[in-house]
Amino acid sequence: MRRHWGIIGLVVALGLGIFSGQVAKPEPVHAAEKTYTIAMDTTFPPFEFADKNNKRVGIDIDLIEAIAKAEGFKVQLKATSFNGAVQELQANQVDGVMAGMSITPERKKVFAFSDPYYQSGVVMAVRKNGNITKLSQLRGKRVAVKTGTASADYANSIKKKYGFKTITFDDSNNVYQDVISGNSAACFEDKPVMQYAIATGLGLKLGNMKMAMANDYGIAVSKAEPALVKKINAGLKKVRKSGEYNKIVEKYLGNGSQADTDKKAKETNDSSSTFFGLLKSNRGALMAGLGETVQLTIVGILFATLVGILVGLLGVVPNKLAQGIATTFIYIFRGLPLMVLALFIYTGVPMVIGTKIPAFVAGIITLTLNEGAYTAAFVKGGIGAVDVGQMEAARSLGLPWTKAMRRVILPQGLKIMVPSFINQFIITLKDTSILSILGLMELTQTGKIIIARNMEGFKIWTMVALIYLIIITLLTWLSNWVQRRIQA
Amino acid sequence: MTTRIEMKNVVKKYGTNTVVRGVDLKVEDGEVVAMIGPSGAGKSTVLRMMNGLETTTSGEILIDGIDIAKPHVDIDKVRAKIGMVFQHFNLFPNMSVLGNVTLAPTELGMMTKDEADKEGRRMLDSVGLADKVDAMPSTLSGGQKQRVAIARALTMHPDMMLFDEPTSALDPEMVGDVLGVMRKLAKQGMTMVVVTHEMGFAKEVADRVVFFEGGEIQESGTPEQVFEHPKNERLQSFLQKVLEA
Ligand SMILES: Nc1ncnc2c1ncn2[C@@H]1O[C@H](COP(=O)(O)OP(=O)(O)O)[C@@H](O)[C@H]1O
Ligand SMILES: [Mg+2]
């Protein structure tokens, strides 16, 4: 028996090791320099986007780094969705959000804002070769906007007057594609964003409408960090004065000439758009994403299996309370959609407990609870499937319940459970893709970001799908090999 | 003579359904008691209450003077002294024949691995299965399985043995082997309670035969009294049916 506990101990230690390695990523922080985490959108060119080397670039990124340098603090940037960023700031998971965010009275109630760093406004864009160009032509049509943006507010404020309906998307890319495909007649978007997108070859053009809702972009900061607002404002002043601000804006929006904008666009696009060309140029990013997926999977499986077995055993202990706990655990965490659970843990729980939960840890907790509940259910079921006569025979020999369970029932139950375990491992691997909602740069999120840049949805998703299939095949082989060892 | 098992006014209810209605029964040391009666009479329930596999609703069950129906009784200790043989053998399929036989004495620290192996082999030899020591249970015939189950119980050196229809699941040609082993045990003076449909065996081996019906003991006596001069009407019709079959 001692031998078995030794193995379990080793597994736990290993798991905790990987876990803590993630939590306490050693970062050489200069003692005097404080590091702030700033959340950003993934797709909001020219403010933030990935260049052709999948390096994240943009006005926001260069500007905050320049400000940080001027004021002597450090920033850690985190790419998520606009909504995700806002929620994370509300949950104090990050210190600030810089995502081309307009300063509005509503947002000012919740967040502190820096001084404005860019003036924008809402414009309309329509299909390049379509015949709709004016607001008055939108009656009865559909208009695409991005969730929670000033453009969406504007669209909603005039939709009665012009008689159109709105559809919302989480990513700019989806907004544009909806117009290009003709599903929506137009979209509303921040002017610099739209200009940049059109100039880099998107099949849209500006509609015939004056810039509306002139508004200022600001950096949203947690109200608990007034010092950060001060630093940002001071840094912004310095950067403006030194001329660095203008350099940054020009770097992305150019001097206004077509030739210059085209040049910028070329820098962001992949050199080859064939399948293998794209594979080659995005290999690094995809492999990094795969690495994160594999890490999430292994640690997730480890903890989910551990918790699942413990809860499953609790469910067969001849004790009403223990069984009740197990049943409730299974009921709740098997019943909750994985995405809801992930968001609850990542952006809900920190509001109550008051500390940040790193995305990786939140992801592992999510997998542990959800996959653990499924595991517990089949562990409980597997034990229940062992003939009751086995327990009776063991007990009638004088063996206590725990010994009978360990020596007689569990070995038989485990054999019944092996296929379920293999199945659950594969499901866990696939479910890690849902954790992309937390902004984790795993394989799916990596795919989203690459596509946001190069619009090659078909080819990139094919690559992502193939990678998943390859590792699922490997995992299945490994599991079958283990199964043969166990059942031999 | 010491009393091994004593049941006093034992009642068992499943919900509102009373399946054992105030049973009084004594088994003396070295005695062989056969329990007969129609299906559903409550024989298995009574037998299983003797080692606590079923709880009692009311009444006392004394095993060597200890009331096992009371809380805080170390039931595992009591069970270690009572061997039980089931209709469907209930061998552990995940271990060899010898593994089945040696599991309990080693796990309970009664014997070292070597001692248990030696004792297990001796017991398997005594039931005629010396050559099956390393076989897996799934490769055995029904009769062989049941003899392993008996050897498994005997390796614990029990003071008494309970049998619940040990030959009912066997092909007819296997029944003799198992009854032979039980006959030998009885001769060696083992205290035994046997639920059985084998009237011949009951007649020949039992010291006392107890007839159950409707959760009650209807009649009890020597095999001669019960089989040759049944007084109870239900016993008479039961015997008639059994002998006709
Ligand atoms: N677990 C149980 N729940 C409810 N009723 C039961 C249970 N076990 C046995 N019974 C009932 O108790 C009665 C006696 O059963 P049993 O002792 O198995 O009879 P026998 O062994 O004489 O055939 C039967 O009517 C049976 O249906
Ligand atoms: Mg029965």
Side-chain angles (χ1 to χ4, degrees):
Chain A
M1 264 317 89
R2 191 138 304 147
R3 201 161 34 117
H4 289 259
W5 287 115
I7 292 172
I8 292 172
L10 192 73
V11 168
V12 173
L14 212 71
L16 289 174
I18 297 176
F19 217 136
S20 55
Q22 274 296 329
V23 178
K25 221 171 230 166
E27 252 167 85
V29 178
H30 209 273
E33 289 185 338
K34 187 156 183 203
T35 301
Y36 293 99
T37 309
I38 307 290
M40 306 193 138
D41 199 344
T42 46
T43 335
F44 198 55
F47 293 95
E48 48 244 9
F49 58 102
D51 70 9
K52 73 174 169 190
N53 301 316
N54 288 304
K55 188 169 172 272
R56 301 195 37 77
V57 294
I59 294 174
D60 280 352
I61 289 165
D62 287 4
L63 190 56
I64 190 69
E65 272 167 1
I67 291 171
K69 203 170 160 204
E71 280 299 299
F73 63 89
K74 285 207 158 181
V75 285
Q76 192 183 356
L77 303 178
K78 189 181 171 205
T80 171
S81 65
F82 183 82
N83 272 335
V86 171
Q87 282 184 37
E88 284 176 35
L89 183 56
Q90 267 178 304
N92 283 321
Q93 286 279 37
V94 295
D95 303 303
V97 172
M98 188 177 193
M101 188 195 253
S102 314
I103 303 170
T104 65
E106 291 82 25
R107 286 181 184 149
K108 269 183 133 166
K109 275 184 210 151
V110 189
F111 306 125
F113 269 96
S114 71
D115 293 338
Y117 68 85
Y118 196 89
Q119 201 199 33
S120 178
V122 176
V123 292
M124 176 172 81
V126 293
R127 217 140 55 110
K128 207 178 207 166
N129 305 318
N131 41 23
I132 295 177
T133 54
K134 290 185 299 202
L135 282 171
S136 58
Q137 291 174 296
L138 294 178
R139 187 159 300 279
K141 300 275 184 345
R142 195 168 94 173
V143 164
V145 288
K146 189 158 137 183
T147 325
T149 58
S151 311
D153 291 346
Y154 179 69
N156 283 321
S157 73
I158 61 164
K159 72 178 176 189
K160 266 231 180 81
K161 184 175 165 198
Y162 291 101
F164 60 80
K165 281 186 297 220
T166 56
I167 179 166
T168 58
F169 294 95
D170 257 10
D171 278 311
S172 300
N173 181 31
N174 292 336
V175 172
Y176 308 151
Q177 289 304 323
D178 208 51
V179 180
I180 291 167
S181 67
N183 288 329
S184 286
C187 63
F188 290 98
E189 179 64 281
D190 292 341
K191 191 173 179 191
V193 177
M194 207 63 248
Q195 280 178 316
Y196 184 82
I198 290 170
T200 54
L202 193 72
L204 297 178
K205 63 180 179 193
L206 287 181
N208 199 348
M209 184 191 106
K210 260 202 177 151
M211 184 168 94
M213 293 180 84
N215 62 79
D216 291 317
Y217 285 175
I219 302 168
V221 175
S222 160
K223 283 199 165 161
E225 294 275 8
L228 179 57
V229 180
K230 267 194 201 136
K231 282 186 202 170
I232 290 174
N233 287 343
L236 187 59
K237 265 199 199 106
K238 283 186 197 165
V239 171
R240 276 207 156 112
K241 216 170 150 193
S242 70
E244 201 174 351
Y245 177 91
N246 284 336
K247 256 194 229 158
I248 290 170
V249 173
E250 219 171 85
K251 177 174 162 198
Y252 290 100
L253 288 185
N255 50 24
S257 75
Q258 186 60 39
D260 187 77
T261 326
D262 284 351
K263 193 176 137 250
K264 304 289 164 221
K266 217 175 154 201
E267 283 165 11
T268 69
N269 290 341
D270 290 290
S271 38
S272 161
S273 65
T274 64
F275 185 87
F276 288 103
L278 285 171
L279 184 60
K280 209 173 147 197
S281 56
N282 292 295
R283 206 178 64 189
L286 288 170
M287 284 304 116
L290 172 62
E292 183 80 355
T293 289
V294 168
Q295 259 190 64
L296 280 167
T297 306
I298 291 175
V299 182
I301 285 176
L302 221 73
F303 280 87
T305 302
L306 223 67
V307 166
I309 290 176
L310 287 178
V311 174
L313 285 175
L314 214 56
V316 295
V317 171
N319 175 307
K320 282 266 149 36
L321 179 71
Q323 288 177 7
I325 291 171
T327 312
T328 312
F329 181 93
I330 293 170
Y331 175 77
I332 292 176
F333 295 114
R334 202 169 55 165
L336 282 180
L338 196 61
M339 200 186 281
V340 173
L341 185 60
L343 290 173
F344 177 76
I345 290 167
Y346 186 57
T347 61
V349 172
M351 290 189 191
V352 179
I353 61 171
T355 42
K356 301 177 195 182
I357 302 177
F360 187 88
V361 175
I364 292 301
I365 295 173
T366 305
L367 290 177
T368 302
L369 294 176
N370 179 273
E371 317 292 340
Y374 279 98
T375 304
F378 69 68
V379 165
K380 194 170 154 231
I383 293 169
V386 176
D387 178 18
V388 290
Q390 292 291 309
M391 182 54 101
E392 289 184 349
R395 295 305 305 276
S396 73
L397 284 164
L399 291 174
W401 186 87
T402 42
K403 283 198 160 103
M405 183 51 74
R406 213 168 55 213
R407 296 302 312 273
V408 177
I409 310 301
L410 273 186
Q412 297 180 53
L414 276 173
K415 228 176 222 191
I416 299 172
M417 294 169 213
V418 167
S420 307
F421 270 115
I422 294 177
N423 194 35
Q424 198 59 38
F425 293 166
I426 291 170
I427 290 172
T428 305
L429 170 55
K430 291 195 289 185
D431 280 354
T432 57
S433 77
I434 295 173
L435 300 177
S436 62
I437 192 80
L438 304 184
L440 280 168
M441 286 292 280
E442 44 65 74
L443 193 50
T444 302
Q445 180 75 354
T446 305
K448 273 193 213 167
I449 287 175
I450 295 173
I451 292 162
R453 169 173 54 77
N454 65 16
M455 311 277 172
E456 295 280 3
F458 181 78
K459 287 169 200 156
I460 298 294
W461 284 131
T462 303
M463 287 174 205
V464 169
L466 285 174
I467 296 173
Y468 274 116
L469 284 178
I470 289 168
I471 42 175
I472 279 168
T473 307
L474 292 177
L475 185 63
T476 310
W477 282 349
L478 179 72
S479 302
N480 287 340
W481 179 78
V482 172
Q483 180 174 10
R484 273 197 303 276
R485 295 292 304 258
I486 287 176
Q487 303 204 324
Chain B
M1 236 185 208
T2 54
T3 303
R4 284 283 181 204
I5 304 170
E6 183 168 10
M7 302 183 98
K8 289 187 192 168
N9 197 21
V10 169
V11 173
K12 174 74 182 179
K13 291 184 188 179
Y14 286 112
T16 57
N17 186 20
T18 308
V19 300
V20 177
R21 303 165 181 273
V23 164
D24 293 289
L25 182 66
K26 254 189 187 186
V27 182
E28 303 296 338
D29 185 48
E31 198 180 12
V32 177
V33 173
M35 287 167 54
I36 62 169
S39 171
K43 306 180 298 294
S44 294
T45 306
V46 167
L47 191 79
R48 290 158 58 85
M49 282 195 286
M50 289 177 183
N51 71 350
L53 279 186
E54 301 289 350
T55 55
T56 49
T57 306
S58 67
E60 284 176 28
I61 299 177
L62 307 177
I63 302 294
D64 288 334
I66 298 167
D67 185 357
I68 63 164
K70 283 226 171 72
H72 308 303
V73 171
D74 187 352
I75 191 71
D76 294 327
K77 219 167 181 176
V78 176
R79 283 175 179 154
K81 288 280 134 208
I82 308 176
M84 184 152 198
V85 175
F86 301 86
Q87 183 177 351
H88 295 289
F89 333 124
N90 300 358
L91 293 187
F92 308 135
N94 55 317
M95 40 190 113
S96 70
V97 163
L98 190 64
N100 267 268
V101 170
T102 57
L103 176 71
T106 48
E107 277 291 315
L108 295 173
M110 286 169 49
M111 304 176 194
T112 65
K113 185 88 186 70
D114 288 345
E115 285 165 0
D117 276 1
K118 213 171 135 208
E119 188 59 12
R121 283 172 197 277
R122 198 170 71 84
M123 287 304 168
L124 287 168
D125 187 37
S126 78
V127 299
L129 292 173
D131 56 330
K132 295 291 182 189
V133 170
D134 296 317
M136 291 306 279
S138 57
T139 63
L140 302 181
S141 73
Q144 290 169 333
K145 280 181 188 164
Q146 196 59 299
R147 283 183 282 150
V148 172
I150 294 172
R152 177 171 71 180
L154 289 177
T155 309
M156 289 290 290
H157 299 147
D159 293 330
M160 53 203 110
M161 292 276 289
L162 310 176
F163 294 83
D164 193 354
E165 301 196 28
T167 58
S168 296
L170 300 181
D171 292 335
E173 69 268 23
M174 307 278 178
V175 172
D177 291 343
V178 172
L179 290 182
V181 168
M182 291 170 64
R183 204 174 278 125
K184 204 167 94 186
L185 259 182
K187 276 215 187 83
Q188 289 164 4
M190 176 63 76
T191 308
M192 294 164 64
V193 181
V194 185
V195 175
T196 186
H197 288 300
E198 296 290 334
M199 294 306 149
F201 176 81
K203 218 180 270 185
E204 175 205 343
V205 178
D207 300 305
R208 199 147 51 89
V209 178
V210 180
F211 171 65
F212 273 81
E213 192 173 342
E216 287 173 298
I217 297 178
Q218 305 285 348
E219 190 163 340
S220 162
T222 62
E224 152 99 27
Q225 287 168 334
V226 169
F227 290 114
E228 309 303 333
H229 314 289
K231 293 192 279 281
N232 183 290
E233 243 174 69
R234 299 206 210 178
L235 174 55
Q236 287 164 1
S237 73
F238 172 76
L239 288 175
Q240 207 162 9
K241 266 187 223 145
V242 172
L243 296 178
E244 269 170 18

